[in-house]
Amino acid sequence: MGPDNLVVVGASVAGFTAAQTLRLEGYRGNLTIIGAEVRRPYERPPLSKQVLRGDWDPETASLPGDVDANWLLGISATELDIGCRKLRLSDGSLLAYGGLVIATGLTPRRLPFGGELSGIHVLRSLEDSLALRQDLLTSARLVVIGAGFLGAEVAATARKMGLDVALVDALEFPMVRQCGEIVGRRVLQLHEEHGVQVITGTGVTAFGSANGRVTEVVLTDGRTIAADTVLVAIGSDPAIGWLSGSGLSLSNGIDCDSSCRAAPGIVAAGDVANWVFPGLNTRVRVEHRMNAAEHGIAAAKALLGSDEPFAPVPYAWTDQYDARIQIAGTVTPDAVFRVAVGSLDDRFVGEYVANGCVTAVLGWNAARDFTQRRRGIGQTAGADLL
């Protein structure tokens, strides 16, 4: 049944799901869960929507269920010795393990300036969301730097709260990294229809301030934008700094094989894991909620001896205003987008096609058609997928 004395580092969706799976798969030995936050695991997607709007209190975002484990919350792992199979923790103690799940997630990127000013936020944790909400309640103007999923969601939430919002990105369209130009153009239109000032093709070089608080954002093209509050949403990096010198292979995350193994007795799951995707001969790292849960299950089974490769179809969604955008599969750089159902002016489903094959499917307020079309991922384009 695999090693004894198991430890999960990261009280995240991936870590919590891994711990649940270990128990469901029959592991009855010692199990320890280490979490840097003092809270039990919770959902992150509501942080930019329901929690930020105040529709949910923090407890509502908690993950359902529990795990019979020794919970060490408010404590981080600071070092890993894979030779001795020991962890050093932030309280100075050492913890031995027989098997280890690493699910430490991401660290939000920050700009190299403005760190001393109040009113400038990142959004990763529940505490981040609550702090941003407090500032939004007393602000008239929010500037969001970064128009990916997170930035676009917060811009939509703030508009629904009645704030004036500017959304800034160095690329030409919002969410273009994730969805391509055609859908990015439609997202831009959506935000402009709701009164957001969308400023693309320019970055940020500085912040103006008064009395220690941000008052404006200075763009690379020389323009300035008034701001009471700023959200920096320019992406995140895998939380692997504590693993330097551990002996694990680290690149864009923790390097794992196709079964989530990083070293003997060590697996990784969720945002932090960079694994060999079966059949592609390339490494993949996915930063979406559904992947975190699926990855936690796969990693736990691998730790208990399974050799089954982890080959999910990535799935993500975003809610902005009255639009639900769902995407499944992988949008490769060479993929061409085409509308398969409906119209870009209303509800639609589109396919991303590369080398004659459907690599991804995107739905815009079209859940049923999206579900049907996603069955065609990996099939030859043009086949009847309905």
Side-chain angles (χ1 to χ4, degrees):
M1 187 57 73
D4 197 9
N5 191 27
L6 304 186
V7 176
V8 177
V9 180
S12 56
V13 168
F16 184 67
T17 306
Q20 287 182 316
T21 303
L22 290 170
R23 291 304 194 200
L24 288 171
E25 290 293 308
Y27 175 70
R28 295 292 176 262
N30 294 327
L31 178 60
T32 302
I33 302 174
I34 300 168
E37 298 182 55
V38 296
R39 298 180 184 273
R40 289 288 184 107
Y42 55 84
E43 297 280 9
R44 295 192 189 274
L47 303 185
S48 58
K49 299 179 283 289
Q50 294 93 334
V51 173
L52 189 58
R53 288 196 303 265
D55 297 343
W56 288 12
D57 59 31
E59 288 68 32
T60 306
S62 298
L63 291 173
D66 199 0
V67 178
D68 177 16
N70 177 29
W71 290 80
L72 301 180
L73 298 178
I75 294 177
S76 302
T78 58
E79 291 181 45
L80 169 64
D81 186 331
I82 65 175
C84 296
R85 296 203 169 197
K86 289 184 179 180
L87 291 161
R88 183 172 295 279
L89 306 183
S90 57
D91 63 1
S93 64
L94 289 174
L95 178 65
Y97 67 86
L100 180 65
V101 180
I102 303 176
T104 45
L106 302 170
T107 300
R109 295 178 191 142
R110 300 173 185 267
L111 292 169
F113 48 84
E116 76 285 0
L117 300 177
S118 61
I120 299 175
H121 297 260
V122 294
L123 179 52
R124 175 65 184 172
S125 69
L126 204 154
E127 299 305 324
D128 291 338
S129 181
L130 296 176
L132 177 59
R133 172 172 168 76
Q134 283 302 113
D135 264 358
L136 294 185
L137 291 175
T138 58
S139 296
R141 176 77 163 174
L142 169 70
V143 176
V144 179
I145 302 169
F149 274 38
L150 178 62
E153 286 181 354
V154 171
T157 297
R159 279 300 295 146
K160 294 180 80 169
M161 293 173 67
L163 280 77
D164 290 332
V165 178
L167 181 60
V168 179
D169 199 285
L171 298 183
E172 190 173 0
F173 300 105
M175 290 170 45
V176 68
R177 300 170 182 84
Q178 297 91 352
C179 303
E181 180 177 332
I182 293 175
V183 176
R185 192 186 299 272
R186 182 66 185 89
V187 174
L188 184 150
Q189 178 185 349
L190 174 70
H191 281 272
E192 290 186 335
E193 288 171 349
H194 285 83
V196 173
Q197 180 186 9
V198 182
I199 303 170
T200 58
T202 185
V204 174
T205 60
F207 295 116
S209 65
N211 300 317
R213 185 176 180 88
V214 65
T215 58
E216 65 179 11
V217 176
V218 182
L219 305 180
T220 53
D221 61 12
R223 286 180 289 172
T224 60
I225 313 170
D228 300 314
T229 300
V230 171
L231 173 70
V232 178
I234 56 174
S236 300
D237 296 310
I240 57 175
W242 67 282
L243 294 170
S244 176
S246 66
L248 293 181
S249 177
L250 308 173
S251 56
N252 178 28
I254 300 170
D255 296 334
C256 302
D257 66 13
S258 61
S259 298
C260 314
R261 292 187 177 89
I266 300 176
V267 295
D271 302 334
V272 77
N274 180 20
W275 83 101
V276 177
F277 200 96
L280 294 183
N281 287 325
T282 188
R283 291 194 171 277
V284 174
R285 192 175 63 80
V286 178
E287 297 181 6
H288 294 306
R289 195 267 182 230
M290 294 305 297
N291 177 75
E294 293 174 351
H295 216 161
I297 294 170
K301 291 181 177 180
L303 192 60
L304 295 178
S306 172
D307 290 320
E308 183 176 354
F310 182 54
V313 175
Y315 169 76
W317 78 94
T318 176
D319 294 318
Q320 300 171 34
Y321 311 107
D322 58 352
R324 165 156 282 203
I325 305 167
Q326 300 169 279
I327 186 166
T330 302
V331 180
T332 57
D334 58 340
V336 176
F337 180 84
R338 68 182 189 186
V339 175
V341 177
S343 165
L344 287 172
D345 296 327
D346 190 18
R347 53 178 296 278
F348 66 90
V349 176
E351 298 171 344
Y352 296 86
V353 179
N355 299 318
C357 180
V358 177
T359 64
V361 172
L362 181 142
W364 186 295
N365 284 342
R368 179 177 297 179
D369 289 327
F370 169 80
T371 299
Q372 292 175 330
R373 283 277 169 176
R374 70 183 290 183
R375 298 170 188 158
I377 294 172
Q379 295 186 16
T380 302
D384 183 4
L385 306 179
L386 295 180

